[in-house]
């Protein structure tokens, strides 16, 4: 295959052998049972497509402190990996297009939209989700993060759907040094939409954590 | 999202050769535009080359100014001390764009290359000359629906008032690029035929007969960095962005200004506008007029009138014919006062 002619190690092709294997494998064998469909599939390059669709690439990423070794299709977003494969459903899917912030997580300490992040690009990274924010989250000594406590105290939510994203974003907002005034908080939190309109209370919660001076 | 092959490049050379070899291959930077368009099947790549591991994220002083790597994140550029101090217009424009999360993902190269937000371009059931007919699956590439421009005679309140053609009236959506246009940036690229430097005003293009092409980048070319020449505008810079809500929305109209002032006199000036054309729109005539003049409202009004000379509305966007000159005057006033 032409794919094998890549220039040395500078271009990693994690999929080449896998693809080859899959092309011979059961998914396509099943398709071949319907002769006309199979012929058409080869004609249109659809066989490649099906091989790709079943293709799983290896990915190693640390999520909330735990190293995860998973196999995923290249088209899987970080959001879908978290929710569908790792069952970390705290991170929410709102718009799936970068427009609402419900999917906000930290990758190597930076807040990002998990819905527009291809999981494959997080290879070797550290991801923190809302599930990883509290300290020691099993047993009697479990303690919420100060931002989680402040959201509860100030009623920073109604339905709660946007809340994990709001909290992840709020923590990053303070760490970045963009929470010096309510105005600055409003601007730097604008990537998180709240359909219930809990904005006033969210700003209060963030300002309290910021002014409390605790390490976030 | 349609399936695709995924590869990772660790040197620019490998990335360029990978994209040159097979058609349907795209560079993947922050993904904030490309993944969005792939989910909507506006773009259906066969293969992505992940360029996030390329060593192109540095921001460094050069003999003639500043060099910003193509993979530098928008947030890293906006918050960089040298940028804030010497090119505040760029910081302001970046911070006016998207959200904090998206700016942490978006790169300088990807921002230059982002596609229009014209809603017909995004809706594959609508006619659009820029997108062209697209079809997913086995019939990929076959004609799909009517051709033509949906926005002409359609919903066009976001659209261009300068430099449009009968084929396309879309605008370039970037805020960052308005600052780069005003600051006379140069784009450094590398491709199968070697390296070249593209003056910023020649990087993006007008739609003309070929609205599919947003810019003058050649097939296989990779953006390496952007150079900014030293200037004297740091004390009097302003980016004014008018949009439908206070934050996290694309510009209806935006204005980037840099003034070099001495007393009340304008020694030199740079003006560029966003939300009005298929490319970042430099106001050369208005600049020429203001040079050597006093910074007065009368002069600002005259400059704005000069800038609007060739403007043309398409119905729903006629309000820009008033909003744009008012924004120019407003931005100039604010830039005069800052320091
Ligand atoms: C909800 C939302 C709101 C937004 N609001 C704004 C806004 O208000 N103002 C604004 O200016 N922008 C806004 N944006 C757009 C955002 O700025 C762009 O999506 C971003 O800059 C693209 O950068 P990226 O690195 O993510 O590019 P990608 O999505 O990775 O790539 C975009 C394109 O550039 C190509 N490319 C990337 N890097 C290179 C390179 N080095 N050389 C050659 N080609 C390259 C890719 O192949 C692709 O075709 C918004 C986006 C979203 C989703
Ligand atoms: S304005 Fe351009 S992008 Fe929008 S529909 Fe017309 S051709 Fe397409
Ligand atoms: S789900 Fe990611 S921004 Fe809305
Ligand atoms: S609490 Fe309901 S969307 Fe924010």
């Amino acid at each position: 295959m032409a794919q094998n002619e890549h220039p040395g190690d500078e271009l990693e092709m994690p999929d080449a052998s896998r693809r080859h294997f899959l092309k011979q494998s059961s998914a396509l064998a099943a398709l071949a049972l319907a002769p006309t469909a199979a012929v058409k599939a080869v004609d249109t390059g659809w066989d490649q497509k099906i091989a790709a669709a079943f293709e799983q690439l290896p990915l190693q990423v640390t999520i909330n402190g735990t190293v995860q070794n998973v196999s995923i299709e290249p088209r899987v977003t970080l959001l879908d990996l978290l929710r569908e494969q790792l069952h970390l459903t705290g991170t929410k899917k709102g718009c799936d297009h970068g427009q609402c912030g419900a999917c906000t997580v930290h990758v190597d300490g930076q807040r990002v939209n998990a819905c527009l992040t291809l999981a494959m690009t997080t290879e070797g990274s550290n991801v923190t989700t809302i599930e990883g924010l509290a300290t020691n989250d099993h047993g009697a000594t479990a303690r919420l993060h100060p931002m989680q406590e402040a959201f509860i105290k100030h009623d920073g939510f109604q339905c709660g759907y946007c809340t994990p994203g709001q909290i992840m974003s709020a923590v990053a907002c303070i760490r970045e040094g963009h929470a010096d005034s309510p105005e600055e908080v409003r601007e730097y939190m604008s990537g998180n939409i709240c359909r219930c309109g809990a904005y006033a209370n969210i700003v209060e919660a963030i300002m309290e954590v910021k002014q409390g001076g605790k390490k976030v | 999202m349609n399936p695709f092959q995924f590869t990772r490049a660790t040197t620019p050379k490998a990335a360029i050769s990978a994209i040159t070899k097979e058609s349907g291959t795209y560079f993947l930077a922050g993904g904030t535009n490309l993944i969005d368009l792939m989910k909507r099947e506006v773009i259906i790549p066969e293969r992505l080359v992940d360029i996030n591991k390329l060593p192109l994220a540095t921001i460094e002083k050069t003999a003639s100014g500043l060099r910003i790597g193509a993979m530098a994140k928008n947030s890293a550029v906006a918050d960089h001390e040298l940028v804030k101090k010497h090119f505040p217009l760029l910081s302001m424009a970046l911070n006016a764009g998207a959200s904090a999360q998206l700016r942490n993902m978006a790169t300088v190269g990807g921002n230059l290359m982002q596609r229009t937000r014209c809603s017909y371009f995004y809706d594959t059931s609508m006619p659009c000359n820029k997108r062209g007919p697209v079809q997913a699956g086995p019939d990929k590439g076959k004609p799909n629906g009517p051709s033509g421009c949906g926005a002409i005679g359609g919903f066009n309140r976001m659209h261009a008032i300068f430099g449009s053609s009968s084929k396309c009236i879309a605008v370039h959506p970037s805020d960052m690029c308005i600052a780069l246009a005003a600051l006379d940036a140069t784009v450094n690229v590398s491709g199968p035929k070697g390296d070249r430097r593209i003056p910023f005003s020649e990087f993006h293009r007008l739609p003309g007969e070929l609205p599919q092409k947003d810019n003058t980048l050649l097939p296989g070319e990779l953006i390496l960095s952007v150079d900014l020449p030293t200037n004297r505008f740091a004390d009097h810079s302003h980016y004014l962005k008018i949009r439908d809500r206070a934050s996290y929305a694309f510009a209806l109209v935006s204005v980037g200004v840099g003034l070099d002032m001495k007393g009340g006199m304008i020694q030199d000036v740079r003006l560029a506008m966003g939300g009005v054309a298929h490319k970042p729109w430099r106001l050369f005539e208005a600049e020429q007029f203001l040079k050597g003049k006093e910074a007065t409202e009368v002069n600002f009004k005259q400059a704005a009138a000069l800038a609007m000379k060739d403007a043309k509305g398409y119905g729903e966007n006629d309000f820009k014919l008033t909003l744009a000159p008012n924004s120019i005057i407003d931005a100039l006033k604010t830039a005069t006062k800052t320091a």
Side-chain angles (χ1 to χ4, degrees), chain A residues 134-144:
Chain A
T135 42
N136 183 15
D137 78 314
H138 306 289
T141 55
R143 221 179 53 241
L144 289 179

Side-chain angles (χ1 to χ4, degrees), chain B residues 85-146:
Chain B
K85 184 150 178 250
H86 301 293
F87 306 94
L89 182 61
L90 178 56
S91 263
M92 289 184 234
L94 280 164
N95 280 330
S99 67
Q101 289 95 313
L102 289 161
R103 293 193 296 270
N104 277 343
M105 304 169 71
T107 63
V108 168
N111 196 320
L112 282 163
M113 296 295 289
Q114 65 172 302
R115 309 303 308 271
T116 184
R117 308 302 287 202
C118 170
S119 46
Y120 296 92
F121 174 76
Y122 264 81
D123 184 343
T124 55
S125 67
M126 288 291 172
C128 170
N129 292 324
K130 181 180 281 299
R131 186 189 64 239
V134 286
Q135 189 115 298
D139 296 325
K140 187 163 165 284
K142 298 221 179 109
N144 174 14

Side-chain angles (χ1 to χ4, degrees), chain A residues 97-100 116, chain B residues 19 26-36 43 51 56 70-71 73-74 93 96-99 102 105-115 117 173-176 217 221-224 241 243 248-251:
Chain A
H97 288 281
Q99 297 176 353
C100 76
L116 292 182
Chain B
I19 201 170
Y26 286 73
F27 296 131
L28 175 69
T32 60
N33 193 219
L34 186 56
I35 301 300
D36 189 18
I43 296 178
I51 56 173
L56 296 175
M71 296 307 293
K73 301 291 186 187
N74 285 186
S99 67
L102 289 161
M105 304 169 71
T107 63
V108 168
N111 196 320
L112 282 163
M113 296 295 289
Q114 65 172 302
R115 309 303 308 271
R117 308 302 287 202
S174 168
D175 292 299
M176 178 191 82
L217 211 62
E221 280 185 325
L222 173 76
I223 302 167
L224 299 177
K241 183 173 177 182
R243 44 192 155 173
Y248 201 14
F250 286 94

Side-chain angles (χ1 to χ4, degrees), chain B residues 23-263:
Chain B
S23 65
T25 306
Y26 286 73
F27 296 131
L28 175 69
T32 60
N33 193 219
L34 186 56
I35 301 300
D36 189 18
L37 290 165
M38 285 167 66
K39 285 185 177 185
R40 298 177 198 266
E41 298 188 353
V42 173
I43 296 178
I44 307 172
E46 298 283 336
R47 181 154 83 139
L48 294 189
V49 179
D50 180 2
I51 56 173
N52 285 286
K53 297 267 192 292
L54 298 188
L56 296 175
T58 42
I59 301 171
E60 60 192 354
K61 233 182 171 136
T62 60
S64 55
L66 195 70
R67 173 163 292 181
I68 303 172
M71 296 307 293
K73 301 291 186 187
N74 285 186
S75 53
V77 179
D79 286 344
H80 197 277
E81 285 311 318
L82 290 175
V83 177
K84 285 198 287 192
K85 184 150 178 250
H86 301 293
F87 306 94
L89 182 61
L90 178 56
S91 263
M92 289 184 234
L94 280 164
N95 280 330
S99 67
Q101 289 95 313
L102 289 161
R103 293 193 296 270
N104 277 343
M105 304 169 71
T107 63
V108 168
N111 196 320
L112 282 163
M113 296 295 289
Q114 65 172 302
R115 309 303 308 271
T116 184
R117 308 302 287 202
C118 170
S119 46
Y120 296 92
F121 174 76
Y122 264 81
D123 184 343
T124 55
S125 67
M126 288 291 172
C128 170
N129 292 324
K130 181 180 281 299
R131 186 189 64 239
V134 286
Q135 189 115 298
D139 296 325
K140 187 163 165 284
K142 298 221 179 109
N144 174 14
S147 59
C149 170
I152 298 176
F155 294 101
N156 54 32
R157 75 183 277 280
M158 298 298 289
H159 289 70
I161 52 173
F162 293 113
S164 55
S165 75
S166 61
K167 293 285 194 297
C168 177
I169 61 170
V171 300
H172 194 269
S174 168
D175 292 299
M176 178 191 82
C177 289
I178 304 311
L180 294 183
L183 296 171
D184 292 310
T186 305
V187 185
N188 297 308
V189 307
S190 183
K193 294 201 180 104
D195 297 357
R196 61 187 185 113
R197 289 168 59 78
I198 310 174
F200 204 79
S201 58
E202 290 165 28
F203 185 84
H204 296 99
R205 60 185 291 284
L206 291 176
E209 290 299 303
L210 215 63
Q212 301 90 318
K213 267 176 77 69
D214 296 346
N215 53 59
T216 55
L217 211 62
L218 300 171
E221 280 185 325
L222 173 76
I223 302 167
L224 299 177
S225 61
V226 171
D227 286 340
L228 286 176
T230 313
N231 66 57
R232 300 161 63 92
F233 305 126
D235 287 344
H236 295 282
S237 292
H238 187 59
Y239 188 72
L240 173 67
K241 183 173 177 182
I242 311 288
R243 44 192 155 173
D244 284 329
R245 54 184 186 196
S247 182
Y248 201 14
F250 286 94
L252 290 165
V253 164
S254 70
V255 183
V257 191
L259 292 171
D260 175 10
M261 305 272 298
K262 195 165 183 190

